[in-house]
Amino acid sequence: LQSLAQLENLCKQLYETTDTATRLQAEKALVEFTNSPDCLSKCQLLLERGSSSYSQLLAATCLTKLVSRTNNPLPLEQRIDIRNYVLNYLATRPKLASFVTQALIQLYARITKLGWFDCQKDEYVFRNVITDVTRFLQDSVEHCIIGVTILSQLTNEINQADTTHPLTKHRKIASSFRDSSLFDIFTLSCNLLKQASGKNLNLNDESQHGLLMQLLKLTHNCLNFDFIGTSTDESSDDLCTVQIPTSWRSAFLDSSTLQLFFDLYHSIPPSFSPLVLSCLVQIASVRRSLFNNAERAKFLSHLVDGVKRILENPQSLSDPNNYHEFCRLLARLKSNYQLGELVKVENYPEVIRLIANFTVTSLQHWEFAPNSVHYLLSLWQRLAASVPYVKATEPHMLETYTPEVTKAYITSRLESVHIILRDGLEDPLDDTGLVQQQLDQLSTIGRCEYEKTCALLVQLFDQSAQSYQELLQSATASPMDLAVQEGRLTWLVYIIGAVIGGRVSFASTDEQDAMDGELVCRVLQLMNLTDSRLAQAGNEKLELAMLSFFEQFRKIYIGDQVQKSSKLYRRLSEVLGLNDETMVLSVFIGKIITNLKYWGRCEPITSKTLQLLNDLSIGYPFQKSCSVRKLVKLSAVQFMLNNHTSEHFSFLGINNQSNLTDMRCRTTFYTALGRLLMVDLGEDEDQYEQFMLPLTAAFETVAQMFSTNTFNEQEAKRTLVGLVRDLRGIAFAFNAKTSFMMLFEWIYPSYMPILQRAIELWYHDPACTTPVLKLMAELVHNRSQRLQFDVSSPNGILLFTSKMITTYGNRILTLGEVPKDQVYALKLKGISICFSMLKAALSGSYVNFGVFRLYGDDALDNALQTFIKLLLSIPHSDLLDYPKLSQSYYSLLEVLTQDHMNFIASLEPHVIMYILSSISEGLTALDTMVCTGCCSCLDHIVTYLFKQLSRSTKKRTTPLTQESDRFLHIMQQHPEMIQQV
């Protein structure tokens, strides 16, 4: 009793105290309690005699942990006793605190799930779930709520995979539960809902209110079950198909099931409706193959009738949650049914009119539930995309309504600008991801009846551009008026880029290309106007819109696959004097140079500008394309190639504070320059030498600094960091043997010692080591088979970066204890790059590693031993907590188990156990790449074991190697490890 009182007091301190130290002390003591041998008995005492809800909560959560543990699990009889005890406890105490009831139901669900295949006397003892809850459903409303919640939580628990148990076991349980119990639970839930809707529900009664809520949650959990183990990503739920089993057909062929939920929607208060609509979303998404054509048409007809009824009585849609779920329901109409099927529905003309009106109204109220607009645009995008393929004779009427949707979107965005600026509201343009998603959808919608879209855009653009020009010429123009016109033009430039990007080659006509030309001319004229003002002022959002427009224009109208006789080019020639693609490319390069000159300190504009340059340099399909050759011949590009360093490239405004020096953009810049340099590399090697001269000078400067005892450390770091970022960009671009060999011969052996020295000096500073290590990882990467050395060449062995790995690895381990919040930046990131570097070298197929041992070279052994030291310094949890580290580690381990198992076999037992444990934990990882890598590692290890065991049982003249014999011995001593895996 005394210890019971102490536990209750600790619970009170944990959940009620405001003093942090007291709470932490209580938490520590309670963790010790959960790990104590008498935890189980004391939990029962807490439930029986505990005076506070907090102590009951502690008991329930502790018992859940006990039944969930994989090591030393509780005996079957004990788990049956706990299950029965929990059910009796809930039945005799229906008015517990809600969080205690929830915790106990969670305990029941966990025991049931993990014991699903446990037998006693040839009976599955944990599968009688409906029998378990029947007594609750036959009692008071409070008991009914508990019974329904048990089924709901159990369905949810079985549907959720956890990381502590294998995914295969989870799927086996989920499949068995689906086949044996889920349909019965769904039927029970629907019947209870029918009973509830048949009565006059008193929703002022909190208990009846709660029962209805739990029934809807249960139904939704049944419909939301992962029926075939696809583990769909919730972020893509609008594309989801519910894989209802064939055995459920009867429930969906019966129209009363669908009608039940539409009736519930209209008969219950709006606070309940979102869950009803969520159920309807799932029902509307049942797989097409569940029905034959006639059945599907009948089901769709009922569904469309229900949607029509909601649209005719839209009062409840003023609730944001209802509105959101209804938008999702509308989107499912097209994601699961074809336009040809929809137009055959009896009320289609009226329904499409109502949906169009609802969409237009929604778009006009842009400030209301902006996240729901995605689903409406998704519906219209799919409808518009289907128009060329529909074969039904019935009219689809999209030529009438799609332009209305397009117009509503465009005009509402323009009208929002003034209100946002006036009231200081959050600007949707700040969320570039959301804007881009909506523009992608609009690009398809706007191309439907494109003449109307284009005419609207031309009219609105001309109005705004004229107003903007007048304001610029006026001495009395207010900043607010200027900002409004710039905001409107920003939206229009984004939208024009989107509709141009929506051009589909096989469906496009000369007239539409001419319309594109009208729009492009206007944007380029606006660009000339805004660029001429950049010395005085500029608008960041408008510049980002311009870059988005250029990217769309590039994808559609620049490249070898584009017909240069396009009416677009004819219009550009007539209006702007841009007679061919070369002149258009010069506009691109001019814009890129202007942006780098005036926006060098604006990271979003600089990075997107350089990305545009990078995309232009890639060409189609490879660097040898005509478009890229034309690009390289432009005088501005030649100047960039010949004057790319900060000293000479002054017109870009590059200086010590600029993005190109201090940020990742620099690597992107040199990747683009490297690609452009490669185009004519075979014809003009002098240009390559000219290009590398400034980099040579920079290396010589650093070498000179290192040769003196005293030098400006910050200056040396700055010059080296910038230099290796430049070189990494070039190395990434040089993916052909000829160009890469020129770079390799330039850097080795002259400058490799400088990189080595930098690692020795500044191993503790990730701002310096990360770029150096990334450069080395790029150099050893056999990208596009560029590392193909001649048979007489030692370059493969020279390139093997053992020394850098051992230097960095041995020094980084001297850092000592690193704070948890800094451990990735200071230590794990560098280790991760080292793992990637070693993996690239080991799997590049350009080094014969057998030579090292044959000639007594310890380079490979040193690198592998350093890997082991680094690995042992990392806790298992960190290997999976940091995605980049886990990917680099497991991909390296895959190579080691495949090609260097003798090394793995020679390791100490505790190291082998560490590696096997990491494989075991990696098998349950959510990252598919990690999980697959672990499977491959396991395959290689077991294959090695099998071969060694086979050899040991045969009479052979050559005995097993010492490593093999030792590895077999370790596995025999620890058979549980392989069995667990």
Side-chain angles (χ1 to χ4, degrees):
L1 287 176
Q2 187 179 355
S3 64
L4 212 60
Q6 286 175 344
L7 283 172
E8 291 212 297
N9 188 44
L10 287 170
C11 290
K12 199 171 182 183
Q13 289 174 358
L14 180 66
Y15 292 110
E16 291 183 350
T17 186
T18 55
D19 180 50
T20 308
T22 307
R23 187 168 63 251
L24 288 172
Q25 200 171 352
E27 187 180 3
K28 187 179 176 184
L30 288 171
V31 167
E32 289 175 4
F33 162 69
T34 59
N35 296 324
S36 63
D38 57 351
C39 176
L40 186 62
S41 56
K42 283 189 177 172
C43 283
Q44 189 172 352
L45 275 175
L46 280 173
L47 287 170
E48 289 290 345
R49 304 185 187 181
S51 58
S52 78
S53 298
Y54 294 135
S55 58
Q56 294 167 332
L57 176 63
L58 174 73
T61 50
C62 285
L63 286 170
T64 304
K65 283 182 183 175
L66 282 174
V67 300
S68 304
R69 69 188 182 196
T70 50
N71 296 326
N72 191 23
L74 294 177
L76 176 60
E77 291 76 12
Q78 214 161 24
R79 284 181 284 130
I80 294 172
D81 289 345
I82 294 172
R83 190 269 312 267
N84 295 337
Y85 179 81
V86 167
L87 289 171
N88 288 326
Y89 194 88
L90 288 167
T92 53
R93 296 170 177 80
K95 297 193 177 180
L96 290 165
S98 59
F99 57 84
V100 176
T101 303
Q102 188 62 37
L104 288 165
I105 290 172
Q106 173 65 35
L107 169 58
Y108 168 84
R110 185 65 54 82
I111 290 176
T112 305
K113 176 181 179 177
L114 297 179
W116 192 254
F117 288 106
D118 288 346
C119 284
Q120 192 179 54
K121 297 178 182 174
D122 296 331
E123 182 191 357
Y124 290 111
V125 286
F126 291 106
R127 293 196 185 181
N128 300 320
V129 288
I130 294 182
T131 308
D132 288 346
V133 300
T134 300
R135 57 172 167 165
F136 290 93
L137 301 177
Q138 294 169 347
D139 212 316
S140 67
V141 176
E142 287 85 1
H143 283 89
C144 267
I145 290 173
I146 292 172
V148 172
T149 309
I150 286 173
L151 292 176
S152 182
Q153 184 60 43
L154 176 63
T155 304
N156 194 50
E157 175 73 24
I158 288 182
N159 196 35
Q160 297 292 325
D162 66 87
T163 54
T164 55
H165 296 86
L167 190 63
T168 46
K169 184 179 180 182
H170 158 73
R171 279 310 314 156
K172 197 175 175 185
I173 293 168
S175 302
S176 173
F177 175 76
R178 174 199 67 200
D179 296 340
S180 63
S181 306
L182 189 58
F183 184 58
D184 293 337
I185 293 172
F186 174 69
T187 307
L188 174 65
S189 178
C190 288
N191 289 337
L192 289 171
L193 277 173
K194 283 175 185 171
Q195 289 175 26
S197 63
K199 298 175 184 174
N200 290 323
L201 273 173
N202 177 12
L203 292 169
N204 293 322
D205 180 345
E206 197 174 317
S207 59
Q208 290 194 16
H209 181 142
L211 176 59
L212 183 60
M213 201 71 167
Q214 290 302 329
L215 279 169
L216 289 170
K217 283 184 180 176
L218 171 58
T219 310
H220 185 254
N221 284 348
C222 290
L223 291 168
N224 208 35
F225 197 81
D226 186 7
F227 291 98
I228 59 170
T230 49
S231 302
T232 50
D233 177 8
E234 288 180 6
S235 66
S236 61
D237 63 350
D238 58 317
L239 301 172
C240 183
T241 298
V242 180
Q243 300 289 344
I244 294 290
T246 307
S247 57
W248 291 38
R249 253 172 60 84
S250 56
F252 293 91
L253 290 175
D254 181 358
S255 60
S256 66
T257 304
L258 191 56
Q259 196 59 44
L260 166 67
F261 291 95
F262 281 118
D263 290 343
L264 277 171
Y265 172 82
H266 292 286
S267 62
I268 61 178
S271 58
F272 291 90
S273 308
L275 264 176
V276 178
L277 288 171
S278 293
C279 293
L280 280 168
V281 169
Q282 295 302 101
I283 293 170
S285 307
V286 296
R287 61 186 170 91
R288 292 174 55 80
S289 53
L290 192 68
F291 310 110
N292 62 34
N293 288 346
E295 291 164 349
R296 191 181 310 112
K298 185 181 175 185
F299 182 81
L300 180 59
S301 179
H302 287 302
L303 183 62
V304 170
D305 282 344
V307 167
K308 175 173 172 280
R309 190 176 160 202
I310 292 174
L311 286 166
E312 289 170 337
N313 302 276
Q315 298 83 358
S316 295
L317 296 178
S318 58
D319 177 90
N321 293 323
N322 273 340
Y323 172 78
H324 182 76
E325 290 301 322
F326 184 65
C327 289
R328 290 182 66 220
L329 177 60
L330 288 178
R332 297 289 171 106
L333 282 178
K334 183 59 190 74
S335 62
N336 276 41
Y337 303 95
Q338 296 168 1
L339 181 56
E341 292 169 330
L342 283 167
V343 297
K344 290 178 181 175
V345 172
E346 185 181 352
N347 293 318
Y348 173 79
E350 179 61 13
V351 171
I352 199 69
R353 183 187 68 80
L354 288 168
I355 291 174
N357 291 344
F358 174 75
T359 305
V360 168
T361 306
S362 298
L363 291 171
Q364 287 168 344
H365 294 84
W366 51 267
E367 72 284 3
F368 180 79
N371 292 331
S372 308
V373 170
H374 160 77
Y375 297 104
L376 292 175
L377 292 177
S378 170
L379 167 67
W380 286 98
Q381 179 190 24
R382 290 198 178 107
L383 287 170
S386 301
V387 169
Y389 308 103
V390 69
K391 294 190 173 93
T393 53
E394 294 83 355
H396 53 66
M397 305 174 75
L398 294 179
E399 71 283 353
T400 304
Y401 296 116
T402 305
E404 292 180 13
V405 172
T406 304
K407 183 178 180 181
Y409 181 86
I410 295 170
T411 54
S412 63
R413 302 310 109 167
L414 300 190
E415 287 159 10
S416 72
V417 174
H418 176 68
I419 299 165
I420 288 165
L421 288 169
R422 183 193 67 198
D423 300 341
L425 302 176
E426 190 175 339
D427 190 348
L429 286 169
D430 291 333
D431 188 348
T432 51
L434 183 67
V435 169
Q436 201 54 57
Q437 184 185 61
Q438 291 181 1
L439 291 175
D440 287 345
Q441 294 168 322
L442 186 73
S443 67
T444 307
I445 302 168
R447 294 297 294 200
C448 187
E449 296 298 307
Y450 191 47
E451 297 80 3
K452 295 177 184 176
T453 303
C454 190
L456 175 67
L457 286 170
V458 166
Q459 177 201 342
L460 292 170
F461 193 96
D462 287 350
Q463 287 172 0
S464 289
Q466 187 177 348
S467 300
Y468 185 54
Q469 207 157 5
E470 288 169 1
L471 286 168
L472 290 177
Q473 292 165 355
S474 167
T476 58
S478 73
M480 170 63 94
D481 291 341
L482 266 173
V484 168
Q485 293 307 326
E486 285 177 345
R488 290 169 66 90
L489 287 167
T490 298
W491 272 111
L492 286 166
V493 171
Y494 266 125
I495 291 166
I496 287 171
V499 295
I500 288 173
R503 177 185 184 270
V504 180
S505 57
F506 67 82
S508 189
T509 62
D510 283 350
E511 290 73 23
Q512 290 181 345
D513 286 359
M515 291 177 216
D516 282 351
E518 292 290 343
L519 296 174
V520 170
C521 287
R522 283 165 169 78
V523 175
L524 294 182
Q525 286 169 327
L526 174 65
M527 181 196 75
N528 291 336
L529 175 64
T530 54
D531 282 359
S532 68
R533 298 184 63 247
L534 283 176
Q536 294 86 42
N539 185 301
E540 181 182 334
K541 289 175 186 173
L542 182 53
E543 290 296 338
L544 289 171
M546 291 277 186
L547 287 165
S548 175
F549 159 80
F550 271 111
E551 180 54 28
Q552 297 298 334
F553 182 42
R554 180 197 67 80
K555 283 196 292 191
I556 301 301
Y557 286 109
I558 300 291
D560 297 347
Q561 78 279 25
V562 178
Q563 291 292 325
K564 298 307 178 291
S565 59
S566 163
K567 286 282 185 73
L568 174 131
Y569 276 94
R570 195 174 304 172
R571 192 64 187 142
L572 290 181
S573 175
E574 291 167 2
V575 179
L576 299 175
L578 301 174
N579 300 320
D580 55 25
E581 189 183 54
T582 301
M583 296 185 77
V584 172
L585 285 170
S586 69
V587 173
F588 273 79
I589 293 298
K591 182 58 181 168
I592 288 166
I593 290 173
T594 302
N595 279 4
L596 294 176
K597 181 178 180 181
Y598 288 104
W599 294 98
R601 296 169 190 267
C602 178
E603 197 276 335
I605 291 178
T606 306
S607 61
K608 288 188 183 298
T609 300
L610 289 171
Q611 190 57 51
L612 178 62
L613 176 63
N614 207 16
D615 292 340
L616 284 170
S617 72
I618 293 170
Y620 177 90
F622 299 107
Q623 281 82 3
K624 301 300 180 188
S625 76
C626 295
S627 296
V628 178
R629 287 191 179 281
K630 290 175 188 173
L631 192 69
V632 171
K633 286 180 168 49
L634 292 174
S635 57
V637 172
Q638 285 297 316
F639 190 81
M640 290 167 75
L641 290 172
N642 295 328
N643 302 277
H644 54 86
T645 60
S646 54
E647 289 81 3
H648 298 100
F649 215 30
S650 56
F651 68 91
L652 291 189
I654 300 172
N655 52 45
N656 293 353
Q657 284 74 44
S658 168
N659 285 319
L660 283 183
T661 299
D662 293 336
M663 301 193 71
R664 295 174 188 169
C665 303
R666 187 161 183 165
T667 304
T668 309
F669 179 58
Y670 274 90
T671 299
L673 291 187
R675 286 197 179 115
L676 294 170
L677 185 65
M678 274 182 68
V679 174
D680 288 326
L681 199 57
E683 301 165 19
D684 188 5
E685 293 190 12
D686 290 343
Q687 187 175 17
Y688 170 77
E689 291 174 7
Q690 176 74 23
F691 182 84
M692 297 303 284
L693 272 178
L695 303 176
T696 304
F699 255 134
E700 295 296 346
T701 303
V702 177
Q704 198 170 357
M705 288 180 180
F706 284 170
S707 66
T708 60
N709 292 327
T710 57
F711 60 89
N712 185 328
E713 191 168 335
Q714 286 306 112
E715 178 66 19
K717 276 186 186 179
R718 190 186 69 79
T719 308
L720 192 74
V721 171
L723 183 61
V724 293
R725 282 195 169 143
D726 301 348
L727 284 170
R728 182 170 155 239
I730 296 166
F732 182 82
F734 284 7
N735 56 8
K737 179 182 176 182
T738 309
S739 54
F740 187 82
M741 284 314 302
M742 292 171 75
L743 177 66
F744 176 73
E745 287 165 5
W746 176 84
I747 201 171
Y748 193 94
S750 305
Y751 303 126
M752 201 67 85
I754 297 174
L755 301 177
Q756 187 74 27
R757 181 73 176 132
I759 291 291
E760 291 168 3
L761 285 174
W762 300 314
Y763 66 91
H764 56 278
D765 183 358
C768 184
T769 56
T770 299
V772 174
L773 293 172
K774 281 186 173 180
L775 169 62
M776 295 309 301
E778 180 58 45
L779 288 173
V780 299
H781 190 175
N782 194 3
R783 191 184 304 282
S784 304
Q785 297 298 303
R786 63 188 178 183
L787 298 176
Q788 297 294 322
F789 301 114
D790 296 333
V791 289
S792 59
S793 169
N795 287 342
I797 292 169
L798 296 176
L799 190 55
F800 182 55
T801 50
S802 166
K803 192 173 181 184
M804 186 158 288
I805 292 172
T806 52
T807 301
Y808 177 78
N810 290 330
R811 280 171 167 72
I812 202 69
L813 290 174
T814 64
L815 280 184
E817 197 67 31
V818 179
K820 181 71 178 170
D821 60 335
Q822 297 176 38
V823 71
Y824 183 74
L826 290 179
K827 180 180 173 186
L828 297 182
K829 187 173 185 178
I831 290 175
S832 174
I833 300 168
C834 283
F835 288 176
S836 298
M837 195 193 310
L838 187 55
K839 185 260 177 183
L842 293 176
S843 61
S845 302
Y846 54 85
V847 186
N848 183 337
F849 289 104
V851 170
F852 288 95
R853 180 168 290 185
L854 186 64
Y855 290 100
D857 188 329
D858 58 3
L860 175 62
D861 281 341
N862 289 344
L864 294 177
Q865 290 300 336
T866 304
F867 156 67
I868 295 299
K869 288 180 197 171
L870 292 171
L871 178 62
L872 294 177
S873 73
I874 306 170
H876 267 157
S877 57
D878 285 354
L879 281 177
L880 289 170
D881 285 349
Y882 299 99
K884 286 186 178 177
L885 175 64
S886 57
Q887 287 180 8
S888 62
Y889 164 65
Y890 285 106
S891 58
L892 170 57
L893 191 60
E894 189 177 348
V895 173
L896 287 172
T897 52
Q898 176 178 299
D899 299 325
H900 300 272
M901 254 320 287
N902 283 334
F903 167 73
I904 299 285
S906 70
L907 296 170
E908 293 295 319
H910 72 282
V911 181
I912 292 174
M913 287 297 106
Y914 181 100
I915 290 172
L916 288 173
S917 297
S918 72
I919 293 172
S920 179
E921 292 183 18
L923 287 167
T924 64
L926 298 176
D927 186 331
T928 312
M929 185 176 166
V930 169
C931 189
T932 309
C934 287
C935 290
S936 186
C937 292
L938 187 60
D939 181 25
H940 297 317
I941 290 170
V942 174
T943 301
Y944 179 84
L945 274 172
F946 177 76
K947 284 181 178 176
Q948 302 311 316
L949 283 166
S950 300
R951 288 180 65 193
S952 66
T953 55
K954 293 176 183 175
K955 291 182 179 179
R956 287 184 176 271
T957 52
T958 54
L960 287 178
T961 62
Q962 188 179 351
E963 294 88 356
S964 303
D965 195 38
R966 192 169 161 207
F967 188 62
L968 283 174
H969 185 63
I970 293 168
M971 291 294 98
Q972 285 162 353
Q973 282 186 316
H974 301 276
E976 74 284 350
M977 181 55 72
I978 292 288
Q979 288 164 12
Q980 183 194 347
V981 170

